[in-house]
Amino acid sequence: MSKIFNCLGDATFCPGGSIYPNPKESSLFLSLGHDVDFYFPPCKRSRIGAPFLFRGEIFEQQQPASIEVLPDECLFEVFRRLPGGEDRSICASVSKRWLMLLTSIRNDEKCAKKATQPISSEPEEPLLCDKKGEVVGLSGDNNKDKEREGDGYLSRCLEGKKATDVRLASIAVGTGHRGGLGKLSIQGSHSIRGVTTLGFRAIGRCCPSLRVLSLWDVSSVGDEGLYEIANGCPLLEKLDLSKCPAISDNGLIAIAKKCPNLASLTIESCSNIGYKSLQAIGSFCHNLTSVSIKNCPLVGDQGISSLLSSTSCSLTNLKLQGLSISDVSLAVIGHYGKELTELVLIGLENVKERGFWVMGKGQGLQKLRSFTVTSCQGVTDLSLEAVGKGCPNLKHLCLRKCSSVSDIGLVSFSNSAVSLESLQLEECHTITGYGLSHVLFSSGRKLKALSLAKCLGFKDLVFGFPSVVCCTSLRSLSVCNCPGFGNFSMNMLGKLCPHLQHLELNGLHGLTDEALLPLIENSVAGLLEVNLGNCVNLTDKVITVLAKLHGVTLEQLNLDGCKKVTDASLVAIADNCLFLRELDASNCEITDSGIAALASALQLNLQILSLSGCSSISDMSLAYLMELGRTLLGLNIQQCNAISSRMVDFLVERLWRCDILS
């Protein structure tokens, strides 16, 4: 027996001494019996729950076998050889450690699973197998052996407390085999476990198909996060940063250099972004077409000039709001903005009249089609005329809170802007009916939309219209909350605009039936949408005429706040309106009889019905509302105090296709 084990016997195995240098160490375990020389009885009976290993000179208890004992390097090699995205998602759900390891694997580090090859004298291309072990193709065929991770069709949004690194990592792993992440929006962040660079590293490494990234009020993400996006998402096309104080020029410069497809950039309230990043954006992003910058204190004339004067600049949309720029920036826009089609300027306090005048004289805005100015005191009669002459293709002009523009400037502009199709004036108190009449005269053949809101300069006085004027092209007219706009003004507009299709008259308390009837009767094109909200002096007379003359074309009708409108108007609507889809009769004198009239109209297919504040409607309208519910998609019965909660519950249960507000 000793030969078998290559020993000489007991003396060799245990030559007269204990196997422990310290004899008391044996007391940690059970007594070893008579096969050893020394025996020390244990102080306490030992319990054995696992096998023992002999290491060096002591015994150690062996831990249960588990994959968790493998170091991260080994798990990394295992995970990168997983055959499919579904398997990676399953492994990611095991633990946070596995999830983070999976997000550290880049797409170019993933290995395809190879099938076992038979021994052959001639070399063959290795075969690839799917996760079931079936051969799917040759490794040399790049179109078949690589797993298609998607082209970025999925959108994900994290808000508030849900915005954490773990959720970002889960999105990064889970979207890869389901179409690829194309749009990611983060609004806010968890106060303790907020989004950090770690989460963006996961997105950068696992989501190369990302095209749209929006960060709103994410203070915990800095330049390092954008570095990860820039390195891993070269297809990025749209970047929206709002209230991200930790992001500076360095992060945007990385995006500019690594994401050449960037086409849209929005920066709002980012206090550390200045001219250097805008200079890099202009130099490297040749596909950039849209830029919006708002409330960024470090962005000045140098940044705007660097962006627009770049040789690769092809901007079509530009919005500047609340910036500390001067006349220099507008001069640069007027000279280099040759591709601009839409320009929005808001709250530029340091820009004076000279800036707008030079911009118009620059002759660089030949393609400009839409121009919006809000709260800019530099817009005056002189500068507005220069803009009209320098923008021959301008079709839309919107002026808000421009108190320095008067009738003279508006008339001069309308004479110069020969292509004007849409004019919107809001809180321009120095413009009166005189300027409006000349706009209709000079642009009568091209003007399609006219909107007036909160303009206090209009007075219901007899002002001089040109002797021969008819705005045959006007299709949309909107007059809201202009208290001086009364019967005479509306009477004249009704005679001058016979082809109206969209009419909005809101908050005109001085408007009566006699003023509105000429407009309704002279409209030959057929009204499609009519909004008469809060015109408190209108009665059933004008609504009945409207329904009879335009019932075959009318699709939307808003009578909210017309307190003199009763059931008679609903009867006329039920009898004459064939294609009405939306009706708002809120806060009108409507009763159950009016609802019954609507329900009896077989040709009526209402989709939206609002009866909010109609206190005379009661439970007796239940059957009528059920009949209307055949086609209704939305029903508003808020503040209808005569309707019981039991009836509301019944409607909610039966009209399951309809959204009910109660």
Side-chain angles (χ1 to χ4, degrees), residues 196-398:
T196 64
T197 304
L198 187 63
F200 278 87
R201 182 178 296 119
I203 295 296
R205 293 187 176 185
C206 300
C207 304
S209 61
L210 185 67
R211 286 178 169 83
V212 179
L213 176 62
S214 299
L215 304 179
W216 299 339
D217 196 15
V218 185
S219 59
S220 57
V221 175
D223 294 333
E224 293 79 7
L226 286 191
Y227 293 159
E228 298 293 340
I229 297 297
N231 293 327
C233 306
L235 302 180
L236 190 67
E237 297 177 357
K238 183 178 180 180
L239 179 62
D240 187 352
L241 304 177
S242 178
K243 298 181 181 179
C244 300
I247 295 178
S248 68
D249 287 333
N250 296 330
L252 269 185
I253 291 174
I255 293 290
K257 293 181 177 180
K258 298 293 184 67
C259 303
N261 294 332
L262 189 67
S264 176
L265 175 64
T266 300
I267 308 173
E268 179 180 350
S269 301
C270 296
S271 56
N272 290 319
I273 293 180
Y275 77 93
K276 293 182 180 180
S277 57
L278 295 182
Q279 186 177 14
I281 291 290
S283 300
F284 295 101
C285 300
H286 304 296
N287 297 324
L288 190 67
T289 58
S290 177
V291 172
S292 175
I293 307 175
K294 177 181 178 182
N295 297 334
C296 295
L298 296 184
V299 176
D301 292 330
Q302 188 174 0
I304 302 301
S305 301
S306 301
L307 177 64
L308 288 170
S309 61
S310 174
T311 56
S312 61
C313 180
S314 58
L315 281 180
T316 58
N317 298 338
L318 178 62
K319 179 181 178 180
L320 306 177
Q321 180 175 354
L323 303 181
S324 300
I325 60 176
S326 64
D327 298 341
V328 176
S329 294
L330 265 66
V332 172
I333 293 174
H335 184 74
Y336 291 101
K338 297 180 180 180
E339 301 297 327
L340 281 178
T341 58
E342 182 177 353
L343 178 61
V344 180
L345 305 175
I346 303 175
L348 305 181
E349 298 179 354
N350 297 330
V351 178
K352 307 303 180 183
E353 179 186 58
R354 181 177 177 83
F356 284 94
W357 184 84
V358 173
M359 184 182 70
K361 290 292 184 179
Q363 299 299 318
L365 301 177
Q366 300 292 315
K367 296 183 180 180
L368 191 65
R369 298 172 61 89
S370 176
F371 184 36
T372 300
V373 185
T374 302
S375 300
C376 293
Q377 299 303 318
V379 180
T380 62
D381 295 339
L382 181 62
S383 60
L384 187 60
E385 181 182 4
V387 170
K389 292 180 178 179
C391 307
N393 294 308
L394 189 64
K395 296 183 180 298
H396 173 74
L397 175 65
C398 177

Side-chain angles (χ1 to χ4, degrees), residues 165-202:
D165 286 338
V166 174
R167 287 184 180 270
L168 272 184
S170 302
I171 290 174
V173 176
T175 57
H177 65 287
R178 293 185 175 92
L181 183 64
K183 181 178 180 181
L184 176 62
S185 176
I186 303 177
Q187 303 176 15
S189 183
H190 195 283
S191 58
I192 301 176
R193 301 184 304 274
V195 175
T196 64
T197 304
L198 187 63
F200 278 87
R201 182 178 296 119

Side-chain angles (χ1 to χ4, degrees), residues 106-123:
R106 299 182 183 274
N107 281 345
D108 55 0
E109 295 174 337
K110 297 175 183 177
C111 296
K113 183 179 179 181
K114 297 184 179 180
T116 304
Q117 295 292 315
I119 300 176
S120 176
S121 59
E122 298 182 359

Side-chain angles (χ1 to χ4, degrees), residues 582-599:
E582 299 183 18
L583 174 62
D584 189 348
S586 301
N587 300 303
C588 297
E589 294 297 324
I590 304 298
T591 66
D592 297 328
S593 301
I595 307 301
L598 291 177

Side-chain angles (χ1 to χ4, degrees), residues 395-428:
K395 296 183 180 298
H396 173 74
L397 175 65
C398 177
L399 300 178
R400 297 191 182 98
K401 300 181 180 180
C402 296
S403 58
S404 300
V405 178
S406 65
D407 290 336
I408 298 175
L410 189 61
V411 171
S412 301
F413 173 81
S414 61
N415 292 333
S416 303
V418 294
S419 302
L420 188 65
E421 295 181 356
S422 175
L423 177 62
Q424 183 177 350
L425 304 176
E426 182 176 344
E427 295 189 41
C428 297

